[in-house]
Amino acid sequence: MQSVLRAIYPPVCMGCGEMTEADHGLCGACWRDTPFLGGALCDLCARPLPGETEPGLRCDSCLVAPPPWRAGRAVLRYRDGGRRLALALKHGDRTDLARPLGRWMARAAADLARPGMLVVPVPLHRGRLWQRRYNQSALLAARIARELRLDHCSDALWRRRATDSLSGDACARRATLDGAIVPHPRRGTRLAGREVLIADDVLTSGATLAACATAARAAGAKEICVIALARAAPDA
């Protein structure tokens, strides 16, 4: 039966649709065009840094103003093939990508996982959820939790106010999000006393994840880490 299914539905590259040897993989060209993060990275925001990798590295921004979480990870640079995969999931109805991309994220966040940790996504406002029909961060968070065998709550955080697309510097982004993300009136109680892993598709300035971390802390979360699929940052 597997041979028949492979003949009817051969595995294809999740980036370009060309045939590949295995499901949920990338062809050679797309693999070369997809910039995976590696080497020296900031331990808090996953920003690429010059020099050799070592535990506890901090970029200048995080040294000056540490974000409200213990550690942060990301898988891809938000450019080229990394950007195309993130946008295909977010705007292209490619919900099938959540499984392999979430698996990548789980591997990147494996060192952050703790027994009893709760995985939660960055919430989407109900108006945007109605338009898009799904929250890409929730799909990724569910896969991460499954891969790491952690608890998961898709609506522990609530975006109670719609916000315009974030633009400007970090201060402007934080002002836009001020008070927009809060613990869910009912499910937010699941955050109390828990270590929490917040998942998002793209980390840019960190303003959205900071708003989520602040809301989780207000609900009584004990310790917070973050994981993003892609990191929008200049090359080191």
Side-chain angles (χ1 to χ4, degrees):
M1 180 62 70
Q2 290 293 330
S3 298
V4 172
L5 290 175
R6 282 297 179 105
I8 299 173
Y9 304 108
V12 297
C13 173
M14 60 183 182
C16 68
E18 292 293 322
M19 291 182 63
T20 57
E21 294 183 359
D23 292 319
H24 310 302
L26 295 171
C27 68
C30 286
W31 182 270
R32 290 189 295 273
D33 194 44
T34 301
F36 287 85
L37 285 168
L41 301 172
C42 175
D43 190 56
L44 290 176
C45 73
R47 184 187 182 102
L49 298 173
E52 298 295 324
T53 183
E54 60 181 271
L57 284 175
R58 300 286 191 273
C59 67
D60 290 344
S61 295
C62 289
L63 284 171
V64 172
W69 57 75
R70 178 178 67 82
R73 303 288 184 266
V75 179
L76 307 169
R77 297 174 190 259
Y78 188 62
R79 60 174 173 80
D80 304 327
R83 184 174 186 273
R84 286 193 292 273
L85 286 172
L87 291 179
L89 173 62
K90 186 172 185 175
H91 296 301
D93 287 334
R94 291 288 311 277
T95 56
D96 59 292
L97 293 176
R99 180 178 177 183
L101 299 182
R103 187 179 297 122
W104 290 353
M105 293 170 72
R107 290 171 184 166
D111 69 314
L112 305 179
R114 301 287 187 273
M117 179 175 266
L118 182 68
V119 184
V120 303
V122 169
L124 202 61
H125 185 262
R126 60 182 179 273
R128 192 160 293 173
L129 182 61
W130 182 83
Q131 292 176 336
R132 194 177 298 165
R133 303 187 305 281
Y134 62 91
N135 176 359
Q136 73 282 354
S137 296
L139 298 179
L140 294 169
R143 174 51 57 174
I144 293 166
R146 181 171 181 174
E147 294 287 331
L148 296 178
R149 299 183 180 182
L150 299 173
D151 291 339
H152 166 248
C153 185
S154 63
D155 56 357
L157 298 175
W158 177 41
R159 194 181 290 251
R160 63 179 177 182
R161 186 183 78 243
T163 55
D164 295 330
S165 296
L166 298 183
S167 60
D169 60 17
C171 290
R173 290 167 178 260
R174 285 194 295 268
T176 299
L177 286 163
D178 186 35
I181 298 175
V182 296
H184 190 279
R186 294 185 299 279
R187 264 81 69 187
T189 57
R190 294 189 61 184
L191 296 161
R194 305 285 293 273
E195 293 187 67
V196 175
L197 179 64
I198 303 174
D200 201 6
D201 57 339
V202 180
L203 193 167
T204 304
S205 69
T208 301
L209 284 168
C212 291
T214 300
R217 188 78 68 189
K222 183 168 61 173
E223 189 171 72
I224 299 161
C225 297
V226 302
I227 175 67
L229 170 63
R231 177 65 163 104
D235 293 341

